[in-house]
Amino acid sequence: LSEDLRAALQSVCATAPDATSYEVDWTRRTTGSALAVCLPASTAEVSAVLQVAARHGVGVTVAGGRTGLVAGAVPDATVVLSTERLTGVRVTNGKALAGAGTTLAEVQRAAAEQGWAYGVDMASRDSATIGGTVATNAGGLHVVGHGTTRAQVLGVEAVLADGSVVSRLHGLAKDATGYDLVQLLVGSEGTLAVVTQVLVRLVAPPRSRQTVLVPLASVEDAVRLVDRARREARGLRAAELLLAAGVELVRDVDGLPPLPPSPVQLLLEAEEGLEDVVPDDALVASDAVDAARLWAYRERMTEAIGRLGVPHKLDVSLPQDRLGEFVDALPSVTAGCTTHVFGHLGDGNLHVNVLGPAPDDDRVDDAVLRLAAAMGGSVGAEHGIGRAKRRWLHLSRTPAELAAMRAVKQALDPHGLLGPGVLLPDVVTGGGPGH
Ligand SMILES: Cc1cc2nc3c(=O)[nH]c(=O)nc-3n(C[C@H](O)[C@H](O)[C@H](O)COP(=O)(O)OP(=O)(O)OC[C@H]3O[C@@H](n4cnc5c(N)ncnc54)[C@H](O)[C@@H]3O)c2cc1C
């Protein structure tokens, strides 16, 4: 880091004394190097950091809660811009306006204090930031009820690569005035702008809550049951899949009590009506504490797998009618590895976790992602593409789409300042898109 750049950054905002924890991703699979870590406390400071970086020709990697699972927040000889000081949340008229660095849990708490709920929830809630969830279009546990983050976002304030500020925070229900810059930034993974504030819609909290864990013989049976619950139960908001090996793992690692043995467990949550939908051998939570006990099998999965080693995390989505076939085919492409699959069945979203191959050996990633794509699925369901998956983006995006995405990037960030190495694959001359 040149003394000039260091001095320029320090003149516009606080910097962190030690970059080490910003240089590795949550899974420990990807490491990088930071030129400096900037901690802006206002939109004006974010703008100033970007202008300094542009003047010195260095890239900027935006970091939120750093719970992302595709290494999008890991710097690559870039300046880290952390949103951790852009906090605070205000709830008015069924909407929450939050600083980008506010955690998901804080947004949920603020909503609940005013009698509302926020439609997005996930196990990383205490660290993941609202800005990070916008940047990745996070899904989570309640997509089946409320949609992904995209469906909650009403507005953002963001700083573009040239330091200019765009602000769409009016929250008007109707606004047909041209390109939707707010939605363009949802899922842009820190490559188009730094999101500094987010306005989200809130939802009515559930009137009542039923949580059940259903043992089933196959993934196909689980898909059929979710379909029925959608039609017949009221207010279905979660439909989570666990397989026997995963249940055993969280039991071993976390000491949870055993469940009756079954190849598949389906966790369903709805407001009412589940008793008419699930079979008699389902475990039904009697109260909130009991519900948390059932949720523990699902919520502790990611951390339990992380304790086994450095997982290759492959987050894919499939058409509902191919989910069972995909799970059955996985052993053929993950032979010799330990594989744990779980996920948000209601969204056709499976998390394939493979342990065994070295972190930099991506042959198994390639095989699993190609299998999903061949079955009409997506190679990035809710975690994004980040640095970890950009090589495979072309499996889910056509050459024309990739060209349009590059054109957007070029227009908003012509010098490639924001999120270098994230999302868009390098252009390979002489070959096709990606490689
Ligand atoms: C235990 C666990 C459970 C999880 N469960 C789920 C789940 O159910 N569903 C799900 O979707 N994800 C899940 N995740 C993944 C992760 O929590 C989400 O991707 C989350 O949205 C990341 O938020 P973050 O603040 O940690 O972002 P980071 O990891 O810091 O960043 C993620 C990406 O967003 C960019 N970014 C961050 N903040 C901004 C900003 N303000 N402006 C512009 N770009 C920004 C970064 O550059 C990076 O590319 C889980 C992770 C863990 C560890």
Side-chain angles (χ1 to χ4, degrees):
L1 175 64
S2 78
E3 274 314 312
D4 269 6
L5 175 57
R6 187 194 308 273
L9 290 171
Q10 286 175 345
S11 74
V12 296
C13 77
T15 55
D18 181 11
T20 319
S21 64
Y22 296 85
E23 293 176 321
V24 59
D25 81 314
W26 193 89
T27 69
R28 307 182 307 283
R29 188 176 174 194
T30 309
T31 52
S33 64
L35 297 176
V37 178
C38 293
L39 308 171
S42 66
T43 303
E45 288 189 2
V46 171
S47 173
V49 169
L50 293 189
Q51 290 175 55
V52 169
R55 268 203 309 280
H56 286 77
V58 293
V60 173
T61 300
V62 189
R66 289 175 284 132
T67 65
L69 298 173
V70 288
V74 178
D76 185 10
T78 47
V79 170
V80 171
L81 188 160
S82 169
T83 60
E84 64 202 64
R85 294 173 71 209
L86 298 172
T87 54
V89 52
R90 201 173 67 234
V91 172
T92 32
N93 297 331
K95 298 176 186 124
L97 176 65
T102 311
T103 64
L104 184 57
E106 285 166 43
V107 172
Q108 292 169 339
R109 249 191 315 274
E113 277 166 14
Q114 304 288 326
W116 292 94
Y118 181 49
V120 175
D121 189 26
M122 53 196 187
S124 53
R125 62 182 77 79
D126 290 317
S127 305
T129 62
I130 194 81
T133 61
V134 170
T136 57
N137 185 24
L141 305 166
H142 295 157
V143 173
V144 76
H146 303 298
T148 63
T149 297
R150 187 180 292 291
Q152 325 305 322
V153 175
L154 300 173
V156 299
E157 176 193 76
V159 183
L160 301 180
D162 65 359
S164 59
V165 178
V166 289
S167 182
R168 304 292 295 167
L169 292 174
H170 54 55
L172 295 173
K174 290 191 167 177
D175 178 26
T177 55
Y179 302 143
D180 191 336
L181 297 176
V182 173
Q183 288 294 336
L184 178 63
L185 297 186
V186 180
S188 64
E189 299 190 48
T191 64
L192 296 181
V194 183
V195 174
T196 46
Q197 292 194 72
V198 179
L199 182 73
V200 289
R201 76 175 174 119
L202 301 175
V203 297
R207 274 175 298 178
S208 52
R209 187 165 85 147
Q210 291 182 320
T211 307
V212 300
L213 192 61
V214 192
L216 292 162
S218 67
V219 173
E220 282 87 353
D221 284 352
V223 170
R224 273 190 288 275
L225 190 59
V226 173
D227 189 49
R228 192 166 160 216
R230 269 187 211 276
R231 280 179 283 124
E232 296 177 25
R234 195 179 285 266
L236 182 71
R237 58 178 202 153
E240 298 290 312
L241 175 83
L242 299 109
L243 300 185
V247 171
E248 282 309 300
L249 174 68
V250 280
R251 275 200 51 218
D252 279 359
V253 173
D254 280 309
L256 301 179
L259 294 175
S262 174
V264 169
Q265 299 278 353
L266 178 67
L267 193 148
L268 293 174
E269 193 161 279
E271 285 189 23
E272 53 195 34
L274 279 179
E275 67 280 7
D276 299 328
V277 172
V278 299
D280 292 342
D281 56 353
L283 291 178
V284 180
S286 53
D287 54 26
V289 175
D290 216 21
R293 243 179 249 136
L294 295 186
W295 268 106
Y297 293 94
R298 167 63 184 86
E299 287 226 293
R300 297 195 190 165
M301 196 71 78
T302 301
E303 300 210 14
I305 291 167
R307 270 181 249 162
L308 293 180
V310 176
H312 293 232
K313 296 194 85 69
L314 304 164
D315 157 52
V316 296
S317 64
L318 278 300
Q320 293 284 340
D321 60 354
R322 314 263 334 238
L323 284 162
E325 188 187 348
F326 176 79
V327 171
D328 290 345
L330 272 176
S332 69
V333 296
T334 60
C337 310
T338 303
T339 305
H340 285 287
V341 183
F342 61 94
H344 312 293
L345 196 74
D347 320 325
N349 178 191
L350 296 177
H351 297 317
V352 181
N353 295 262
V354 185
L355 290 137
D360 59 353
D361 177 352
D362 61 12
R363 283 173 296 178
V364 81
D365 307 55
D366 187 66
V368 172
L369 297 176
R370 282 184 190 279
L371 180 67
M375 290 188 179
S378 167
V379 299
E382 62 172 6
H383 296 162
I385 295 297
R387 287 169 60 160
K389 282 193 186 165
R390 64 188 191 128
R391 216 192 115 182
W392 294 280
L393 183 60
H394 70 282
L395 294 176
S396 288
R397 294 299 202 139
T398 63
E401 284 177 315
L402 286 171
M405 287 164 76
R406 280 188 212 291
V408 171
K409 170 76 177 167
Q410 176 67 25
L412 292 186
D413 182 15
H415 305 296
L417 194 71
L418 286 167
V422 173
L423 182 57
L424 287 170
D426 294 331
V427 179
V428 181
T429 43
H435 53 279

